[in-house]
Amino acid sequence: MTSRESFDMQHKDKATLLERLIFNNRPAVIAICLLVSVFLFWQATQIRPSTSFEKMIPLQHPFIEQMMEHRNDLANLGNTVRVSVEAVNGDIFDKDYMETLRQIHDEVFYIPGVDRAGLKSLWSPSVRWSEVTEEGFSGGEVIPNTYNGSQDSLDTLRDNVLKSGQVGRLVANNFKSSIIDIPLLESHPDPQDPGKQVKLDYQQFSHQLEEKIRDKFQAQNPNVKIHIVGFAKKVGDLIDGLVMVALFFGVALLITWALLYWFTWCIRSTIAVLVTTLVAVVWQLGLMHAVGFGLDPYSMLVPFLIFAIGISHGVQKINGIALQSSDADNALTAARRTFRQLFLPGMIAILADAVGFITLLIIDIGVIRELAIGASIGVAVIVFTNLILLPVAISYVGISQKAIARSKKDATCEHPFWRLLSNFASAKVAPVSVVLALLAFAGGLWYSQNLKIGDLDQGAPELRPDSRYNQDNSFIISNYSTSSDVLVIMVKTPAESCSIHSTMAPIDALMWTMDNTPGVQSTISLVTVSKQVIKGMNEGSLKWETLSRNPDILNNSIARADGLYNADCSLAPVLVFLNDHKAETLERVTAAAKAFADSHNKDGLQFLLAAGNAGIEAATNEVIKSAELTILILVYICVAVMCMITFRSFAATLCIVLPLVLTSVLGNALMAFMGIGVKVATLPVVALGVGIGVDYGIYIYSRLESFLRAGLPLQEAYYETLRSTGKAVLFTGLCLAIGVCTWIFSAIKFQADMGLMLTFMLLWNMFGALWLLPALARFLIKPAKLAGKEGGSIFAH
């Protein structure tokens, strides 16, 4: 009898209370799981894609608090969509083009969720022109009531546009397109029941823009091409990409099924692992709906993760049952022994997963918190499905004789591959491994200094550069002076004081400061309008394009500054249009704005940051930057504490945690190399990668410690560990990496980035557990002290 068999025999008949409770009541366990599955499957079928503007932003950040406090005073500066209607041939001063633009304006007006009072295009009565004549100011609507599509009307329209100040804003600089600004309501009256308020459905709204606007009018007028940008459109496109994610889930399922069968040589156990893991996914989705969550583009990845973790634990169970079946009387005995041997390490690994996910709750962004809660719920249900239900199911269906025969053969024959890998624990190879790990750690740490916070590309980095949305965004950036990236600085004063010289002069100075900050395209405020009006009142002389100190002149000059101050003239936004929303641009611009605000804030006058989509992204970047290191530290503290509780050994904890640390450092270096910034989409990968990766180390070390206690020398103990648990770890790492790497082909770029990162982390965590853990054990673990000891680990019994 080998040392491994001797050790296992000592513990086969020590059934725990939990084991007796489960296996003595197997029909009840199956029935309860079946009833729960039916209920949660019904709940899961009702879960729907769901997100909101507020869930995507850090509501407790000072920028966002200021924005939300004054959101009613910031007309059209919140959640907006811009529709650019391009004339493919010619320009906008064409009868057919203007008629199409009018029809699009009217169609948009009736789409549910549109803030109709703020809708703005050339056809809006609020879009006006003005000029100075010998008799004073004159003006009117850009498209007057007398417009009839004739050449004279079009010539008048051209003159009015030139006098309106809308060139570069609503009208392209080359006059080949114009924009419809569409402010949105987060909740709006239900079209079926006007007395009821419903939340804005981003996917439905995006589809209506496509069907009722883009498809309809491009087909109706071939000379028109429509471009659509905005937060709601971007989120709608992301949600549409979730259909492809479901396809990837199916592909991953097929790949896993094929690899599982190749691993087990048993169709029954393969189906049992897949079914119980899918039950875990169904439970997780059902519970998410039961607590009021939906699926957003970020939490859509959680079912993949639960599937991956479930397969990981399922493979360990099947591998253990196959090993035990070689000398067990029946499938029930093998299942009970495996449950007794692997429930505790599996439970500890799952707790480590959950604790890692829960650390994400410290980030004040709704989608990340929902992801954290959803992932924690998912790993919790794996305790019931893969640690309890799977062994009970196998106790009925058993393992095929082919698989048992293979397991018996594996238990007695020599394995050259595992013997080769066992050299990682040898006295000669271990020091080399540790030195290589230190060099990789130092290199990764050095290169990860290039890692950036936030977006590193223009447009919507969540989508592919060649996506329709990013092509539309590129068109608008190229043809308009006012980009879609807007930082809004709010100037707060006492009531009726926004137009006095002591307020407007600092605003003018702020605009000059921002205009001279790299990355700023242009700025607009009530000062812009005031200077233009004062110049116009003085025969258009450039000498008079300045702020007057006469209060009456200033009050009169801002009368046409619609939307650039609130009703009681206590808030005046300064709109800063940026070249892009790259992380360094936002950091540079907000730093300049903060420095100005700190030096000019005084009694009665405050410069508040920040609103606009660029202000929101700047706040998000700051939250991510401050939370990144905190989350990493918390994850490792939690995992280390779990390992300490489990193994009651600082050395054992280091053996498990240090390979994970190396993976995290190399993962950051890979992100820097691939040009992937740390943002809402990628930050959870840190916690998720560590959470999934710790399973490998816990399973390997628990078996390694068992063999060391049985008296085997380290290298031989590691060889026995590889023969029993190592092949399951190797298989799981490769299987999950192959499944997750399918995300790399997703149309949603951030999912492709997460797929790449998780594939890398799964493989490196698996490799670290197989390669670095035994090398560290050579220096940190003393087998002589473990041999014959019963204490020191909760697995000792």
Side-chain angles (χ1 to χ4, degrees):
M1 182 179 292
T2 66
S3 298
R4 180 177 68 181
E5 292 168 340
S6 174
F7 178 81
D8 289 340
M9 288 295 294
Q10 296 174 22
H11 299 274
K12 284 182 177 177
D13 298 321
K14 296 181 180 179
T16 63
L17 175 63
L18 181 62
E19 178 191 333
R20 292 195 297 270
L21 180 65
I22 291 170
F23 286 92
N24 292 348
N25 300 282
R26 290 184 297 160
V29 171
I30 296 289
I32 291 172
C33 288
L34 182 62
L35 290 174
V36 172
S37 297
V38 170
F39 172 74
L40 291 179
F41 178 80
W42 174 68
Q43 289 285 334
T45 59
Q46 300 182 63
I47 197 167
R48 297 289 183 271
S50 172
T51 189
S52 70
F53 181 65
E54 293 184 0
K55 277 172 54 177
M56 309 286 283
I57 61 179
L59 293 175
Q60 304 303 315
H61 190 280
F63 286 9
I64 308 303
E65 288 180 339
Q66 298 288 359
M67 183 190 77
M68 300 302 285
E69 181 181 348
H70 300 99
R71 65 188 307 177
N72 294 330
D73 294 326
L74 298 171
N76 300 349
L77 296 178
N79 191 2
T80 63
V81 167
R82 304 171 85 192
V83 175
S84 176
V85 184
E86 176 191 5
V88 178
N89 298 308
D91 55 30
I92 66 173
F93 305 111
D94 174 81
K95 178 181 178 180
D96 292 338
Y97 174 90
M98 292 306 299
E99 177 59 21
T100 300
L101 182 67
R102 183 191 66 79
Q103 292 176 11
I104 293 174
H105 177 99
D106 292 345
E107 190 75 48
V108 167
F109 186 85
Y110 290 104
I111 294 178
V114 172
D115 183 1
R116 296 168 182 172
L119 185 64
K120 184 178 290 187
S121 76
L122 290 178
W123 283 96
S124 300
S126 59
V127 178
R128 304 177 64 83
W129 63 272
S130 63
E131 66 176 345
V132 179
T133 67
E134 295 85 350
E135 299 177 356
F137 279 98
S138 64
E141 298 175 9
V142 168
I143 301 180
N145 292 331
T146 57
Y147 175 83
N148 58 15
S150 65
Q151 189 58 50
D152 288 342
S153 292
L154 292 171
D155 291 339
T156 300
L157 172 62
R158 183 188 296 270
D159 291 339
N160 291 349
V161 167
L162 291 171
K163 293 181 287 190
S164 68
Q166 295 294 339
V167 177
R169 296 173 67 185
L170 283 183
V171 177
N173 294 318
N174 60 4
F175 301 102
K176 290 181 67 66
S177 64
S178 67
I179 277 180
I180 303 174
D181 267 333
I182 310 171
L184 303 179
L185 301 168
E186 280 300 305
S187 59
H188 60 87
D190 187 345
Q192 308 300 324
D193 182 7
K196 178 183 176 183
Q197 290 284 315
V198 294
K199 285 188 175 182
L200 179 64
D201 185 327
Y202 287 93
Q203 184 182 27
Q204 184 181 23
F205 182 78
S206 175
H207 288 174
Q208 289 182 315
L209 289 177
E210 292 293 335
E211 297 165 6
K212 295 184 177 180
I213 306 300
R214 198 194 305 262
D215 295 344
K216 176 181 177 180
F217 288 100
Q218 285 185 167
Q220 179 178 305
N221 186 348
N223 192 45
V224 161
K225 189 173 182 181
I226 294 173
H227 310 270
I228 309 172
V229 298
F231 175 81
K233 186 68 182 75
K234 178 178 72 175
V235 172
D237 288 352
L238 289 175
I239 294 175
D240 286 338
L242 300 184
V243 177
M244 187 62 70
V245 174
L247 176 62
F248 292 146
F249 190 89
V251 172
L253 184 64
L254 290 175
I255 292 172
T256 304
W257 179 85
L259 291 176
L260 267 174
Y261 181 71
W262 174 77
F263 176 78
T264 62
W265 284 20
C266 174
I267 191 66
R268 284 175 284 173
S269 56
T270 297
I271 292 174
V273 172
L274 285 176
V275 168
T276 52
T277 304
L278 288 175
V279 167
V281 173
V282 169
W283 283 23
Q284 186 260 337
L285 291 174
L287 288 169
M288 282 184 66
H289 181 266
V291 298
F293 291 165
L295 281 179
D296 57 57
Y298 300 93
S299 65
M300 184 65 184
L301 299 176
V302 173
F304 269 96
L305 298 172
I306 301 311
F307 183 75
I309 296 171
I311 290 293
S312 174
H313 290 283
V315 167
Q316 292 288 347
K317 297 298 174 293
I318 291 300
N319 183 57
I321 292 172
L323 290 172
Q324 294 292 346
S325 296
S326 60
D327 63 347
D329 297 333
N330 50 48
L332 175 58
T333 303
R336 293 186 69 144
R337 289 175 179 174
T338 302
F339 177 87
R340 191 179 312 151
Q341 183 183 74
L342 295 181
F343 181 79
L344 273 177
M347 189 69 184
I348 296 300
I350 285 175
L351 287 174
D353 293 340
V355 169
F357 299 150
I358 288 171
T359 59
L360 291 172
L361 290 174
I362 70 170
I363 303 178
D364 175 36
I365 298 176
V367 289
I368 292 185
R369 287 184 168 175
E370 287 195 11
L371 185 149
I373 294 170
S376 300
I377 290 173
V379 293
V381 302
I382 287 175
V383 173
F384 299 96
T385 58
N386 292 71
L387 299 192
I388 295 176
L389 178 60
L390 177 58
V392 170
I394 293 295
S395 72
Y396 281 111
V397 300
I399 302 286
S400 68
Q401 290 302 314
K402 187 177 181 181
I404 294 173
R406 185 186 184 190
S407 180
K408 286 182 178 180
K409 181 181 177 182
D410 287 344
T412 56
C413 70
E414 180 72 11
H415 293 268
F417 179 70
W418 298 127
R419 182 64 70 183
L420 179 65
L421 288 190
S422 70
N423 287 317
F424 287 142
S426 69
K428 292 182 179 180
V429 177
V432 177
S433 297
V434 172
V435 170
L436 289 175
L438 287 173
L439 290 174
F441 179 82
L445 207 59
W446 171 76
Y447 197 82
S448 62
Q449 293 176 350
N450 299 317
L451 187 62
K452 304 293 185 183
I453 303 294
D455 292 330
L456 306 183
D457 302 300
Q458 289 186 336
E462 297 91 344
L463 300 169
R464 298 283 186 181
D466 59 351
S467 66
R468 174 181 278 183
Y469 182 93
N470 279 327
Q471 290 177 352
D472 289 348
N473 187 74
S474 179
F475 174 85
I476 290 176
I477 290 174
S478 302
N479 289 278
Y480 294 84
S481 299
T482 54
S483 75
S484 57
D485 297 313
V486 187
L487 177 76
V488 180
I489 303 168
M490 297 160 281
V491 184
K492 188 176 182 181
T493 69
E496 308 301 335
S497 297
C498 72
S499 62
I500 62 178
H501 187 271
S502 60
T503 297
M504 296 182 71
I507 293 177
D508 192 22
L510 171 63
M511 293 175 64
W512 186 90
T513 299
M514 301 313 297
D515 281 330
N516 288 279
T517 301
V520 173
Q521 194 178 73
S522 62
T523 58
I524 294 175
S525 75
L526 54 76
V527 169
T528 310
V529 177
S530 176
K531 287 184 175 182
Q532 291 291 325
V533 170
I534 292 173
K535 179 181 73 172
M537 293 170 64
N538 291 275
E539 300 178 343
S541 173
L542 292 176
K543 295 180 180 180
W544 288 93
E545 192 174 1
T546 187
L547 294 173
S548 171
R549 291 184 178 273
N550 187 312
D552 294 330
I553 293 177
L554 283 181
N555 281 331
N556 186 54
S557 70
I558 67 167
R560 295 174 176 82
D562 294 330
L564 295 175
Y565 61 93
N566 65 350
D568 65 353
C569 199
S570 64
L571 190 82
V574 177
L575 281 62
V576 183
F577 296 95
L578 309 181
N579 293 331
D580 53 60
H581 56 249
K582 294 181 181 178
E584 58 266 28
T585 302
L586 295 176
E587 190 172 347
R588 184 168 54 246
V589 172
T590 53
K594 284 180 180 178
F596 184 91
D598 292 341
S599 61
H600 288 79
N601 280 346
K602 56 185 180 181
D603 292 340
L605 179 64
Q606 292 179 287
F607 292 86
L608 308 175
L609 274 72
N613 68 309
I616 292 169
E617 292 214 26
T620 303
N621 288 352
E622 289 188 7
V623 168
I624 296 296
K625 187 174 183 178
S626 63
E628 180 195 15
L629 184 59
T630 305
I631 283 180
L632 197 61
I633 292 172
L634 277 177
V635 167
Y636 280 110
I637 288 176
C638 292
V639 169
V641 168
M642 295 302 301
C643 291
M644 281 293 294
I645 293 172
T646 305
F647 298 104
R648 301 171 188 170
S649 166
F650 184 69
T653 300
L654 288 178
C655 288
I656 295 171
V657 171
L658 289 181
L660 301 179
V661 174
L662 177 60
T663 302
S664 295
V665 171
L666 293 178
N668 284 344
L670 178 65
M671 288 177 67
F673 178 76
M674 298 295 296
I676 302 172
V678 181
K679 49 193 175 183
V680 173
T682 55
L683 181 62
V685 173
V686 175
L688 300 178
V690 173
I692 297 174
V694 74
D695 296 0
Y696 305 133
I698 288 177
Y699 275 117
I700 284 182
Y701 189 84
S702 65
R703 290 298 288 164
L704 177 63
E705 185 188 50
S706 298
F707 292 123
L708 290 174
R709 291 184 185 282
L712 272 66
L714 178 61
Q715 187 171 346
E716 187 63 25
Y718 187 54
Y719 172 68
E720 295 294 342
T721 299
L722 290 173
R723 290 177 63 188
S724 57
T725 299
K727 67 175 184 178
V729 167
L730 180 62
F731 168 79
T732 303
L734 293 174
C735 179
L736 299 185
I738 291 172
V740 170
C741 76
T742 58
W743 301 355
I744 296 173
F745 304 101
S746 173
I748 301 176
K749 188 174 182 298
F750 84 81
Q751 289 182 345
D753 291 343
M754 288 190 76
L756 175 65
M757 292 304 302
L758 281 174
T759 299
F760 173 82
M761 296 190 81
L762 284 168
L763 289 175
W764 259 101
N765 281 330
M766 177 267 292
F767 182 68
L770 293 174
W771 160 62
L772 190 54
L773 188 153
L776 292 170
R778 167 62 61 180
F779 294 96
L780 299 174
I781 305 298
K782 304 301 180 186
K785 292 184 178 181
L786 288 177
K789 286 181 64 176
E790 287 297 317
S793 167
I794 63 173
F795 301 131
H797 301 285

